[in-house]
Amino acid sequence: MDTLLLARLQFATTTSIHFLFVVVTLGLVTLLVGMQTAWVLTGNPKWERLTRYWGQLYVINYVLGIATGIVMEFQFGLNWSGLSRYVGNVFGAPLAIETLVAFFLESTFLGMWIFGWHRLGKGVHLALLWGVAITAYASAFWIMVANSWLQNPVGYEVRDGIAHLTDFGALLTNPSLGMAFGHVVSAAVLVGGMLMAAVSAWHLIRRTPDFVLFRTSLRIGLVTSAFAITMVQGFGFAQFGPVGAVQPTKFGQGPEGQALIAEWTARFGPGDYTPPVLANVGLGFMILIGFTLGCVWFLLPLLFRDWIIRLRFPLWLVLLALPLPFVAVILGWIAREVGRQPWVAYGLLPTEQAVSPVGAPVMLTSLIGFSLLLGTLAVTNWVLLARHAARGAADPALGRPPSPPNESAHPEPALV
């Protein structure tokens, strides 16, 4: 078997699975910040219960998502040593910032938030969650900075066959960055909103006792999803201009693309420099799903009429629509990444020169091992999420008040 194909399949599999964890994390933490802020400002216990319930699901997803992210780090050194060697001085800078400044801080804030219930003041505890959210978005930003450089290498020079960073500011002003970051973030908020709405719809279909509580979270999820899908569509279509300018071969072969292919042929030799058809297929289905999810605006009457909620049919629509945003984010990633082929760094480093010089059997073994590991983590995550979501919001483990001391364990001495 082809080592390059196996390496690409492995990266596609593990990255797709990890990305599903990421969008849930970004989406839920945004909603958690709003709910806990409402609790601190109003003192309404409803918001505390919602924060604890959805916070518990967020923590489960976050913990297992970390394990999937570790695999991503291994792959750059194991499977893509050519990438690390040639562009590591540039590509590694935003990744290092993401790890040290964003991820470490995010994990620290989250740990303090989890164990800070009933130990810290409400204001301090809320500030920790804001810190988690801000650093989560910062982490996503630096990842997109690194990815955008692969899409459109800027601010570098090649010396002795190695790319060196010469202009850090160019990384932050990359034309491939702004709209793509907005698109990813709004897609994550859409996933979080649809997840909240779907779980709430399930509880309302089952007529759970907490009707008012899940009606509130259903409304939050639907409103969030409605605004988020509008932003997703806006940022998505806005990318066609910048992408066409910096990657003229991605969505067709106009005069600019043909001239670029002729230049590459002169530099790298004859070859197929057009992206696989899979990129456009993924793009087409993603756009179709995006327009379908735009119909969430028609479900907003659920916000105002309890009798509509009790009909159940609209709730089933919300519940059955849950897989759509997850499918859409994977298709969007396919369109962005596959559309860059046959390059790892567009126009700079061909994919075949980036793969590690290992045999196909070794690559196949790692593909099977990593796929089984991440698949197990993904299944475990969704089983735990479903189990804890089904238990309802009566008394979530997260934020549960400490039990009073057991007086029977320390009986008073009998009086003689």
Side-chain angles (χ1 to χ4, degrees):
M1 301 186 73
D2 184 21
T3 300
L4 176 59
L5 176 61
L6 292 173
R8 291 178 62 188
L9 286 175
Q10 182 177 147
F11 191 79
T13 302
T14 55
T15 305
S16 298
I17 294 175
H18 178 63
F19 193 32
L20 296 177
F21 285 84
V22 171
V23 291
V24 172
T25 296
L26 279 176
L28 282 185
V29 76
T30 306
L31 298 170
L32 282 174
V33 164
M35 290 185 291
Q36 185 164 353
T37 300
W39 172 45
V40 171
L41 293 179
T42 66
N44 189 334
K46 172 183 70 174
W47 297 113
E48 179 191 10
R49 290 181 63 196
L50 285 172
T51 303
R52 290 173 55 199
Y53 175 74
W54 292 104
Q56 183 167 271
L57 302 184
Y58 167 79
V59 170
I60 292 172
N61 184 81
Y62 185 93
V63 171
L64 291 171
I66 291 176
T68 64
I70 294 174
V71 176
M72 300 296 301
E73 302 295 332
F74 280 107
Q75 285 192 90
F76 287 117
L78 293 175
N79 298 352
W80 303 101
S81 59
L83 172 69
S84 302
R85 181 175 58 254
Y86 188 73
V87 302
N89 291 329
V90 182
F91 184 68
L95 291 182
I97 295 174
E98 185 272 336
T99 301
L100 297 175
V101 178
F103 175 70
F104 283 179
L105 283 176
E106 180 186 2
S107 302
T108 302
F109 288 145
L110 179 60
M112 296 174 67
W113 182 77
I114 293 173
F115 297 103
W117 286 88
H118 310 293
R119 294 179 175 87
L120 301 172
K122 285 186 178 181
V124 175
H125 195 242
L126 174 61
L128 289 172
L129 185 59
W130 273 96
V132 173
I134 292 172
T135 50
Y137 276 83
S139 178
F141 173 78
W142 289 111
I143 291 296
M144 289 303 299
V145 168
N147 180 267
S148 296
W149 189 86
L150 296 179
Q151 302 287 337
N152 179 41
V154 293
Y156 75 97
E157 67 177 11
V158 178
R159 298 195 304 265
D160 301 324
I162 297 177
H164 295 270
L165 181 63
T166 58
D167 185 1
F168 187 78
L171 299 180
L172 307 181
T173 57
N174 194 327
S176 295
L177 173 60
M179 294 301 172
F181 176 65
H183 188 62
V184 168
V185 167
S186 54
V189 175
L190 171 64
V191 168
M194 287 299 297
L195 179 62
M196 179 172 288
V199 172
S200 303
W202 184 80
H203 279 283
L204 294 172
I205 290 171
R206 295 179 66 246
R207 300 287 194 263
T208 54
D210 288 320
F211 175 85
V212 175
L213 196 73
F214 285 109
R215 183 186 61 185
T216 300
S217 57
L218 173 70
R219 292 171 173 176
I220 295 173
L222 286 178
V223 170
T224 301
S225 300
F227 283 100
I229 187 58
T230 303
M231 295 174 62
V232 167
Q233 294 170 349
F235 282 117
F237 285 114
Q239 289 183 74
F240 280 98
V243 168
V246 300
Q247 291 184 336
T249 61
K250 192 162 194 173
F251 301 125
Q253 291 189 35
E256 297 85 356
Q258 293 176 357
L260 196 55
I261 290 176
E263 177 185 339
W264 290 338
T265 302
R267 288 175 54 195
F268 298 97
D272 184 7
Y273 293 104
T274 57
V277 178
L278 179 62
N280 289 331
V281 172
L283 178 66
F285 279 105
M286 179 191 65
I287 293 175
L288 180 62
I289 292 174
F291 282 126
T292 302
L293 288 173
C295 296
V296 72
W297 283 98
F298 296 108
L299 294 174
L300 292 187
L302 288 171
L303 309 180
F304 308 106
R305 297 290 185 268
D306 287 348
W307 66 268
I308 298 179
I309 295 178
R310 298 183 190 280
L311 289 177
R312 293 190 181 184
F313 176 71
L315 299 176
W316 277 109
L317 292 179
V318 175
L319 182 60
L320 295 176
L322 177 58
L324 293 181
F326 290 95
V327 175
V329 296
I330 296 302
L331 292 176
W333 178 83
I334 290 175
R336 183 172 175 87
E337 297 302 302
V338 177
R340 188 178 69 232
Q341 296 302 315
W343 306 98
V344 170
Y346 190 76
L348 182 63
L349 180 63
T351 306
E352 60 185 12
Q353 296 180 17
V355 69
S356 299
V358 299
V362 175
M363 192 67 70
L364 178 61
T365 301
S366 63
L367 168 62
I368 295 173
F370 283 147
S371 298
L372 289 176
L373 174 61
L374 266 72
T376 301
L377 290 172
V379 171
T380 302
N381 181 62
W382 287 104
V383 168
L384 291 175
L385 287 178
R387 181 179 299 172
H388 285 80
R391 290 177 179 174
D395 187 25
L398 179 68
R400 182 179 296 160
S403 302
N406 188 356
E407 296 182 359
S408 61
H410 304 281
E412 295 293 334
L415 297 179
V416 178

